[in-house]
Amino acid sequence: MFRNAEAALKRAKASGDQYLFYAPKMTAMVARKLTLENKLRQALDNEEFVLHYQPKVNLASGQITGAEALIRWHDPRTGLVPPGRFIPILEETGMIHEVGRRALRQAIGDYLRWRTAGLAAVRIAVNVSPLQLRHRDFIGEVGQAVGIDERAAAGLELEITESLIMADVRHSIVALKAIRALGITIAIDDFGTGFSSLSYLAKLPVDTLKIDRAFVTDMTAAPAGLALVSTIINLAHSFRLNVVAEGVETEEQAQLLRASNCDEMQGFLFSKPVPCEIFEARFLAPRTAGDEIGDE
C-alpha cells in the first residue's frame, strides 16, 4: 500500500495534480524511471556521455563561425539515446552537475586541441542548465575550467535560456558579469519564450541572442511571423548583440533571415549535430580544391 501511494504521489507531483488515485501503470512508470536513473549513473561512471557539435554559419559569407556542443548518451546496449529521454532525469537527480562539468571540460579540451593541431578552431557554445547556474560553486568551476590555459576562455561561450535568466534577473546579472569577467562570451538561448522586459535586456551582460526555432518556423507561414523575427533582429542589433537563428531547415528560411540582416544561422539546412571527429574533418580541416563546406 505504501509503495503504491508513493507511486501516486510522485505522479501527482510530476503532473501538478493535487491528488491522484493509484493505478497499476504508475508502478510500471516509476520502475522504468528508476531503471533509467540507474543506467544513467552507470553511464556517468563508464564515461558514456559524449559531445556532438553543430556548426553556426555566417549568413553573409557562409563561413563557420562557431559550434554548439550538445550532450549525447551513447548507450552501448542501444546506441545513441535521444536527449529528451535522459536530460530531464539528469536534472531531477542532480547528475546534471557532473555531466555539465565534464561537458565544459571536454569542450575546452577540444578547442585547445584544435588550436594546437593548427585547425580552424572556432568558439564552442556550451549549454548551462538551471541547476548549474544557481549552484554557488558554478562560477568558480567555470573559472577553474578555463584556467588551465590562457587561450581557453576565448574558445568558450555559455548559452543560457531566456526563461532561466528572467527567473531571477538580479542574480543573473551578477552571475553573468562574473562569467564575462573571465573572458567568456554569453548567449541568450531560446529568445522570445521568456517574456523579457526590454529594460532588463538592455542591462544584461550578454553578447549573442539566439532566436528560438519556433519563430524561425513561423517566419514562412505568415507575414506576422517574419515581422516578428525582423523586429527581434533589429532590437538585438540596437543593443549591439550578435543574432543567431536556430532550427533553420529550409533555403527559404535562410534567404528571409539573410534579407533581415540576421548574422548567423544554425540548423539541419547546413548540418545536424555530428561527433567531434566528423566535425573536425568536415568543417575544421584545411579545404582542398573541389570541397564544399557542409557536404555529407
Side-chain angles (χ1 to χ4, degrees):
M1 184 178 67
F2 281 121
R3 184 181 67 249
N4 294 345
E6 181 70 13
L9 176 62
K10 289 184 176 181
R11 181 62 178 168
K13 287 181 177 179
S15 64
D17 293 318
Q18 291 185 341
Y19 65 90
L20 284 176
F21 291 104
Y22 169 76
K25 64 179 181 180
M26 293 180 183
T27 301
M29 290 175 62
V30 171
R32 285 196 298 269
K33 188 175 179 181
L34 286 174
T35 299
L36 180 57
E37 182 179 331
N38 289 332
K39 287 183 178 180
L40 288 171
R41 294 190 187 280
Q42 293 174 5
L44 195 54
D45 292 337
N46 297 333
E47 299 185 350
E48 295 171 6
F49 294 104
V50 297
L51 291 184
H52 282 197
Y53 291 108
Q54 185 172 40
K56 300 176 185 178
V57 187
N58 183 288
L59 275 159
S61 68
Q63 297 298 308
I64 303 292
T65 55
E68 180 178 357
L70 298 160
I71 296 174
R72 295 291 185 261
W73 174 23
H74 191 274
D75 187 341
R77 298 162 290 254
T78 61
L80 286 178
V81 181
R85 281 194 57 199
F86 68 89
I87 294 293
I89 304 298
L90 293 180
E91 290 274 6
E92 184 178 330
T93 59
M95 284 188 281
I96 193 65
H97 289 298
E98 181 57 29
V99 174
R101 278 192 290 268
R102 294 188 186 185
L104 190 65
R105 291 196 295 265
Q106 182 63 57
I108 292 171
D110 286 340
Y111 171 78
L112 293 174
R113 182 169 50 78
W114 297 341
R115 291 195 58 164
T116 301
L119 299 177
V122 294
R123 190 188 302 272
I124 299 175
V126 177
N127 291 280
V128 176
S129 77
L131 287 180
Q132 286 177 284
L133 186 63
R134 291 167 186 157
H135 196 280
R136 61 184 180 182
D137 296 329
F138 177 67
I139 296 173
E141 291 173 356
V142 174
Q144 185 177 19
V146 297
I148 63 170
D149 191 296
E150 61 182 8
R151 304 169 298 173
L156 181 64
E157 179 171 75
L158 296 186
E159 288 193 6
I160 305 172
T161 60
E162 180 190 13
S163 56
L164 172 57
I165 291 175
M166 297 309 297
D168 188 343
V169 177
R170 291 184 179 180
H171 169 75
S172 295
I173 290 175
V174 172
L176 297 183
K177 283 183 177 179
I179 292 170
R180 284 187 87 194
L182 297 170
I184 300 167
T185 59
I186 299 170
I188 299 180
D189 199 11
D190 299 335
F191 184 81
T193 62
F195 307 105
S196 291
S197 164
L198 294 185
S199 62
Y200 280 123
L201 184 59
K203 297 176 183 177
L204 290 173
V206 298
D207 306 276
T208 296
L209 184 153
K210 299 188 73 175
I211 302 175
D212 185 71
R213 65 180 62 246
F215 295 108
V216 174
T217 301
D218 292 343
M219 189 173 57
T220 56
L226 177 58
L228 179 57
V229 169
S230 297
T231 300
I232 292 174
I233 293 170
N234 291 332
L235 173 65
H237 285 167
S238 70
F239 291 135
R240 299 183 179 180
L241 300 176
N242 185 53
V243 184
V244 180
E246 295 185 282
V248 180
E249 298 183 351
T250 68
E251 186 58 43
E252 181 184 8
Q253 292 171 345
Q255 290 176 356
L256 290 173
L257 290 166
R258 201 173 288 116
S260 300
N261 295 318
C262 184
D263 301 300
E264 302 171 23
M265 73 171 183
Q266 177 183 346
F268 282 16
L269 175 63
F270 191 82
S271 173
K272 64 182 180 180
V274 295
C276 183
E277 60 273 14
I278 295 178
F279 182 82
E280 292 177 15
R282 188 178 297 170
F283 302 118
L284 302 184
R287 314 304 298 178
T288 58
D291 284 345
E292 293 284 342
I293 289 181
D295 280 355
E296 293 296 326

